[in-house]
Amino acid sequence: MIQFLLNQELRSEHALDPNLTVLNYLREHLGKSGTKEGCASGDCGACTVVVGELHTDTQGAEQIRYRSLNSCLTFVSSLHGKQLISVEDLKHQGQLHSVQQAMVECHGSQCGFCTPGFVMSLFALQKNSDAPNSQKAHEALAGNLCRCTGYRPILAAAEQACCNKPADQFDSRQPETIARLKAIAPTQTGELNSGDKRCLVPLTVADLADLYDAYPQARLLAGGTDLALEVTQFHRVLPVMIYVGNIEEMKRIESFDDRLEIGAATPLSDCYSALHHEYPDFGDLLHRFASLQIRNQGTLGGNIGNASPIGDSPPLLIALGAQIVLCKGNTRRTLALEDYFIDYRVTARQDSEFIEKIIVPKGHTLFRAYKVSKRLDDDISAVCAAFNLKLDNGVISDARVAFGGMAATPKRAKSCETVLVGATWNAATVEKACAALAQDFTPLSDFRASKEYRLLSAQNLLRKYFIELQTPHIETRVTAYV
């Protein structure tokens, strides 16, 4: 059984189909049709809902942390121990919520289909903001698509809703909600079981290891932003899933003198602060890593584990010399991330083995990262590049150069690195290294970019890296797009 709060209503579910998304649960099982399906792939934001979770702040106080999510990519099993808020829950005692009222007064709704999603993103923004901020508003709404091009009044509504925001029913009920969430906090493995399909929800790494050993055919579910597409887009059935999002051990970020250790189930939005503090380029690229709804849900371990050749984080982590800790039963092994990827969607992971955490070394001051995509925000890379050099008196003593989108796996450019190591860091060396990239990669052409464009882009990004290191005042990092 799993338990969660539907606004303030306790829901206990056991026999639901584990392949059921929150979107379809709301619409088909509860008759709450305010949440819309626009794309069923997490691109349009019409299905946005907000999930509240217990959170202890830096002062030790218990609070509720609200996150906007794409309900079309969220399986019901991930709600275990949480609070689900949909657009129907905002109106209170016959009065519109302040974010709804702002949309009305600023004329932010035209055809209205996208409006519930915008309202929920604004609600999450209001809950997580102390003052109006244009940058935060754009970030919060980047994952919501308005086909009527009503963005200006919607942004005006965001400013109004977040400026001198009034208290609402969620504020007044917060102590009660915290108490109720504590009362339903999971204490043992939860389960949804429809007879022929099941999803297990362990609470510890040890429990996960035991379950995965018992069900090696199970699909691991973290954020689900990639896995859910198999259900919503390809109409496949997932007979057994194991949801890892309730394992606190796998959601920790620990900082040591020489490294960061990031749990594999840590949402990307939680990774931002630590990675940006150590490597600003990594943090900047995370801001372009899909929408906020996706970053609130997708995990760093999931981005690695699905082994996509165009995942944004692996090239950066490879260039930094990151490692992963793989767990199977009581056995753990540490593997260089670059050795994890073997071929297209083929990895070194053994049966019943899972990524427990990612180890990111500190101290690489010349690290830079770049993403080329058709849209600046919320788009998949055509090419993603990461460069990490060590210079001693103008001579390159070490080089790690990695790319995504250039091969069947995220991959180091070994020929390019060979040219760089031991050479003087100057324009002539860079041109030789650019030529060597043609030996490292034979990229494919697809709808994102031609093979010629990809190779030229990779070479130009290396030139860009050289120019920026020569003139560090130029602020053009991670802003490249087609």
Side-chain angles (χ1 to χ4, degrees):
M1 182 177 69
I2 67 167
Q3 290 187 310
F4 59 92
L5 296 180
L6 180 65
N7 191 10
Q8 294 297 318
E9 177 192 352
L10 177 63
R11 302 289 299 187
S12 299
E13 302 286 2
H14 178 261
L16 283 178
D17 181 350
N19 288 204
L20 182 69
T21 64
V22 171
L23 171 66
N24 289 333
Y25 179 71
L26 287 169
R27 294 181 62 85
E28 298 174 6
H29 287 250
L30 302 180
K32 292 179 176 288
S33 57
T35 307
K36 308 299 184 187
E37 178 180 312
C39 65
S41 59
D43 288 327
C44 74
C47 70
T48 301
V49 296
V50 169
V51 168
E53 300 176 77
L54 285 177
H55 172 68
T56 302
D57 65 19
T58 55
Q59 307 301 317
E62 288 186 314
Q63 297 180 338
I64 300 175
R65 177 167 54 189
Y66 296 95
R67 296 182 191 268
S68 56
L69 303 176
N70 293 118
S71 62
C72 71
L73 298 181
T74 307
F75 291 119
V76 175
S77 54
S78 67
L79 298 177
H80 192 30
K82 301 170 186 174
Q83 180 189 29
L84 172 64
I85 302 170
S86 69
V87 69
E88 287 89 352
D89 301 319
L90 297 195
K91 189 175 180 181
H92 183 59
Q93 295 180 347
Q95 299 295 316
L96 293 178
H97 190 276
S98 58
V99 297
Q100 295 173 309
Q101 192 64 41
M103 287 285 282
V104 171
E105 294 177 0
C106 296
H107 307 286
S109 179
Q110 294 189 45
C111 81
F113 190 88
C114 70
T115 301
F118 273 101
V119 165
M120 296 312 294
S121 289
L122 286 177
F123 172 72
L125 173 66
Q126 187 192 69
K127 288 299 177 190
N128 294 308
S129 301
D130 294 325
N133 182 305
S134 176
Q135 181 179 352
K136 288 184 178 179
H138 279 86
E139 179 185 13
L141 299 176
N144 291 84
L145 175 65
C146 173
R147 296 187 185 276
C148 302
T149 65
Y151 295 114
R152 185 199 58 75
I154 293 171
L155 288 169
E159 180 177 358
Q160 176 175 316
C162 294
C163 184
N164 300 317
K165 57 184 179 183
D168 61 15
Q169 69 270 28
F170 300 96
D171 297 322
S172 61
R173 289 175 177 168
Q174 180 163 302
E176 174 191 353
T177 305
I178 289 174
R180 299 193 71 189
L181 287 173
K182 290 173 70 173
I184 65 168
T187 58
Q188 59 185 6
T189 297
E191 181 176 3
L192 280 181
N193 191 326
S194 62
D196 59 337
K197 297 183 285 294
R198 65 192 308 197
C199 180
L200 300 154
V201 187
L203 302 180
T204 67
V205 170
D207 288 343
L208 169 59
D210 289 343
L211 289 171
Y212 207 16
D213 188 53
Y215 302 99
Q217 79 281 13
R219 303 295 297 275
L220 294 186
L221 170 64
T225 56
D226 189 70
L227 183 62
L229 296 176
E230 295 191 25
V231 174
T232 64
Q233 299 293 299
F234 299 101
H235 306 290
R236 295 171 185 159
V237 173
L238 305 178
V240 184
M241 290 186 286
I242 302 176
Y243 176 61
V244 302
N246 281 20
I247 302 175
E248 290 302 320
E249 299 162 84
M250 292 177 61
K251 296 167 69 175
R252 296 174 184 160
I253 301 176
E254 297 181 279
S255 181
F256 300 91
D257 290 341
D258 62 340
R259 70 194 187 280
L260 291 170
E261 293 190 2
I262 302 175
T266 306
L268 291 163
S269 54
D270 289 354
C271 295
Y272 171 79
S273 180
L275 288 170
H276 185 266
H277 179 266
E278 194 64 33
Y279 298 112
D281 270 38
F282 208 136
D284 290 347
L285 188 136
L286 280 182
H287 269 302
R288 294 184 55 201
F289 192 114
S291 64
L292 181 59
Q293 290 98 316
I294 296 294
R295 298 198 300 274
N296 282 338
Q297 199 162 351
T299 64
L300 190 61
N303 194 235
I304 295 168
N306 66 24
S308 170
I310 50 176
D312 281 344
S313 70
L316 281 65
L317 293 168
I318 289 172
L320 288 169
Q323 299 173 306
I324 55 174
V325 176
L326 293 159
C327 179
K328 179 179 180 178
N330 295 322
T331 303
R332 287 174 172 82
R333 63 181 176 124
T334 302
L335 184 70
L337 180 58
E338 63 189 278
D339 296 330
Y340 179 74
F341 304 104
I342 295 175
D343 203 344
Y344 179 73
R345 300 281 188 175
V346 177
T347 71
R349 187 184 66 82
Q350 302 171 2
D351 288 344
S352 298
E353 190 174 46
F354 58 90
I355 302 171
E356 182 180 4
K357 61 184 174 182
I358 301 96
I359 301 172
V360 185
K362 290 183 176 181
H364 297 285
T365 58
L366 299 183
F367 172 79
R368 299 290 186 272
Y370 309 90
K371 174 175 177 172
V372 177
S373 57
K374 289 188 175 182
R375 297 192 305 269
L376 183 63
D377 293 310
D378 195 11
D379 200 6
I380 295 173
S381 295
V383 177
C384 187
F387 304 99
N388 186 16
L389 298 188
K390 291 183 180 178
L391 299 179
D392 293 324
N393 297 318
V395 175
I396 305 164
S397 59
D398 190 27
R400 296 183 68 92
V401 178
F403 286 91
M406 295 290 288
T409 65
K411 183 181 173 184
R412 286 178 69 178
K414 294 294 185 71
S415 298
C416 175
E417 292 175 355
T418 298
V419 170
L420 291 171
V421 174
T424 301
W425 182 232
N426 56 31
T429 297
V430 169
E431 290 308 310
K432 292 178 182 177
C434 286
L437 287 174
Q439 303 171 35
D440 287 311
F441 301 109
T442 307
L444 298 176
S445 295
D446 60 20
F447 67 92
R448 291 189 182 90
S450 68
K451 60 184 180 181
E452 294 84 4
Y453 182 90
R454 281 191 161 102
L455 180 58
L456 181 59
S457 294
Q459 294 168 330
N460 284 340
L461 291 176
L462 178 55
R463 296 181 178 109
K464 179 182 177 75
Y465 176 61
F466 172 73
I467 293 169
E468 288 187 0
L469 291 194
Q470 302 303 108
T471 52
H473 63 281
I474 296 179
E475 294 294 336
T476 58
R477 301 195 297 274
V478 271
T479 58
Y481 61 102
V482 179

